[in-house]
Amino acid sequence: MNHIDRQRPQRLLALDILRGITIAGMILVNNPGSWGHIYAPLEHAQWNGLTPTDLVFPFFMFIMGVSTYFSMRKYDFHLTGKAFWKILRRTIVIFAIGLGIAWLARFMRGMADDSVTFWQAVMNFDQIRILGVMPRLALCYGIGSVIALVIRRKALPWVIASILIIYAIILLSGDGFAFASHNIIARVDTAVLGPDHMYADTVDGVTLKFDPEGLLSTLPSIAHMLIGFCCGAMILSVKDNNLRINKLFIVGTILTFAGFLLDFGMPINKKIWSPTFVLTTCGLASSFLGLLIWIIDIKGYKRWCRFFEAYGVNPLFMYVFGGVLSIVISNIHVPYAAAQTGMTTVKGWLYQAIMIPVADGNETLASLLFAILFVTATWCVGYILYKNKIYIKI
């Protein structure tokens, strides 16, 4: 975390709300009471396809691109020494926080295991997952920002198209749409990162070391961020909100239709961040942002969105706080007579002793209620920061 800022910059409220919606959504879907009992819309697509849950991360990536354009105005969109060091510093900080969360998860699991010594729990670097949500955000922000400041703005759409076309060729020529060990994405990640530093994914009962935020699939994610950057330029190119939403809806419609049409030969797939996934989710994010500008900034319907604003003004801090809290309550054990061993985690106790009875034995509903409780708990912290005008920049 760089510093705490008590002066909130002027910005479009709809941006904060969309950012807040995505962070709240990410926390919600990452924290069910039980991973075995989840309503279908709150699950990721197993492989090809798209669910509402698959939208939250790419929406945030899109908004990160929009916000990056806004923040780079102070450098007149030139890669000065000051701009470069700011980008590099923020990239390293975000990546390091991601590694820290991965380390903490393994440390807490190790401390809960009687067969693991304290030293072994601390020195878990040989099996720590290197990439993930925060590292992907860091890489896309860092590389995407440098590209955006080095390349002329008019040329950026061609850069984006080139990245997606090159990635599509890589996928089509390297069995990139097959969930298998010979998939080009899995092979590159295994060769560079090593299987011990990758996520183990399961599709149709088959488990493989396949990282959904892997190294090679970061390439289209950079294009994803740059699309958001271009939309940020489009938003600030006019001052009238009606013109802004017209442009956002036009771009959103074109990208969404392109993504769905190309899906017939190149499936929409979040886990490989396929080019069609980029086009479709960026298109939907652009349209949704236009809708929010119309509702919030034009029509003035703001009361409903205050909940999300508390998330939107401190997005990365709220996501990190939610991740750390989830790790802690999932690994601290407390006595529970109903458990087979007489012990359960804090999360397990909340789910089994409180949520299941409240849901009248419906475990799927109980799982959702726990997720809502978790979102509410993190929001309380965000609201305290928001009310005190404390903005933690990461």
Side-chain angles (χ1 to χ4, degrees):
M1 298 176 192
N2 291 342
H3 62 281
I4 295 178
D5 184 6
R6 293 179 181 270
Q7 297 297 319
R8 181 184 168 196
Q10 294 294 318
R11 47 184 158 189
L12 208 59
L13 180 57
L15 282 173
D16 281 339
I17 301 309
L18 180 53
R19 191 185 291 110
I21 290 172
T22 58
I23 292 297
M26 290 167 76
I27 294 174
L28 179 76
V29 301
N30 285 342
N31 293 281
S34 168
W35 287 104
H37 300 88
I38 306 175
Y39 288 109
L42 298 178
E43 290 191 278
H44 290 290
Q46 271 216 342
W47 189 239
N48 294 329
L50 195 66
T51 72
T53 297
D54 292 324
L55 298 178
V56 288
F57 187 21
F59 273 30
F60 186 79
M61 186 84 73
F62 173 86
I63 286 297
M64 182 179 71
V66 175
S67 300
T68 299
Y69 180 87
F70 290 2
S71 67
M72 292 302 165
R73 284 181 297 169
K74 70 178 87 171
Y75 303 112
D76 198 26
F77 302 103
H78 289 94
L79 189 62
T80 63
K82 185 177 180 181
F84 177 78
W85 284 114
K86 178 190 175 181
I87 292 168
L88 181 62
R89 183 172 64 251
R90 189 164 188 244
T91 299
I92 292 172
V93 168
I94 295 174
F95 198 101
I97 290 174
L99 287 179
I101 292 173
W103 174 87
L104 179 64
R106 294 200 66 85
F107 170 75
M108 293 292 290
R109 286 197 293 269
M111 291 301 295
D113 187 343
D114 293 334
S115 65
V116 177
T117 66
F118 175 78
W119 183 247
Q120 288 173 327
V122 171
M123 302 301 292
N124 59 38
F125 305 108
D126 58 330
Q127 296 200 351
I128 193 172
R129 184 186 176 198
I130 295 176
L131 297 180
V133 171
M134 292 293 284
R136 168 152 291 185
L137 289 174
L139 293 174
C140 291
Y141 166 77
I143 299 172
S145 296
V146 171
I147 291 174
L149 296 185
V150 170
I151 304 295
R152 287 188 307 168
R153 204 177 312 157
K154 291 183 178 180
L156 279 180
W158 297 103
V159 173
I160 294 167
S162 298
I163 291 173
L164 294 180
I165 290 171
I166 291 171
Y167 186 62
I169 293 171
I170 292 173
L171 291 178
L172 293 171
S173 61
D175 284 331
F177 292 96
F179 184 73
S181 57
H182 63 266
N183 183 310
I184 184 66
I185 296 174
R187 283 189 285 148
V188 169
D189 288 344
T190 300
V192 177
L193 303 173
D196 291 338
H197 299 289
M198 292 169 58
Y199 182 82
D201 205 352
T202 301
V203 174
D204 294 331
V206 177
T207 301
L208 293 172
K209 288 289 186 175
F210 196 102
D211 207 310
E213 282 86 39
L215 195 62
L216 188 57
S217 59
T218 300
L219 188 64
S221 302
I222 295 169
H224 195 120
M225 178 268 186
L226 289 174
I227 292 175
F229 187 91
C230 291
C231 285
M234 186 176 63
I235 290 171
L236 289 189
S237 67
V238 293
K239 294 183 178 180
D240 183 75
N241 278 331
N242 288 294
L243 291 177
R244 286 172 171 171
I245 64 174
N246 285 341
K247 289 189 174 186
L248 286 169
F249 279 132
I250 290 171
V251 170
T253 301
I254 292 171
L255 292 178
T256 303
F257 269 91
F260 279 124
L261 288 173
L262 292 173
D263 174 62
F264 290 100
M266 192 180 303
I268 297 171
N269 187 309
K270 177 187 180 294
K271 292 180 179 180
I272 62 174
W273 217 273
S274 65
T276 46
F277 178 78
V278 173
L279 294 174
T280 304
T281 56
C282 281
L284 292 173
S286 178
S287 297
F288 191 33
L289 178 57
L291 177 63
L292 289 177
I293 292 175
W294 181 78
I295 293 172
I296 299 168
D297 296 287
I298 294 179
K299 292 299 182 179
Y301 300 129
K302 300 177 181 179
R303 183 174 297 181
W304 68 272
C305 62
R306 294 305 181 193
F307 176 88
F308 297 108
E309 193 172 1
Y311 278 108
V313 296
N314 284 304
L316 288 182
F317 171 79
M318 292 301 296
Y319 179 78
V320 171
F321 174 72
V324 171
L325 180 62
S326 177
I327 291 169
V328 171
I329 67 172
S330 297
N331 289 281
I332 292 180
H333 287 74
V334 294
Y336 183 52
Q340 191 172 22
T341 61
M343 297 286 290
T344 188
T345 62
V346 173
K347 176 181 178 178
W349 180 81
L350 287 170
Y351 174 65
Q352 296 166 18
I354 297 179
M355 295 303 158
I356 290 180
V358 168
D360 197 24
N362 185 330
E363 292 192 60
T364 306
L365 177 59
S367 184
L368 174 60
L369 291 176
F370 176 87
I372 294 173
L373 174 66
F374 190 91
V375 169
T376 304
T378 57
W379 175 84
C380 289
V381 174
Y383 183 72
I384 292 171
L385 297 176
Y386 171 67
K387 288 297 289 183
N388 288 281
K389 297 183 179 180
I390 298 174
Y391 306 103
I392 303 176
K393 296 182 178 181
I394 296 180

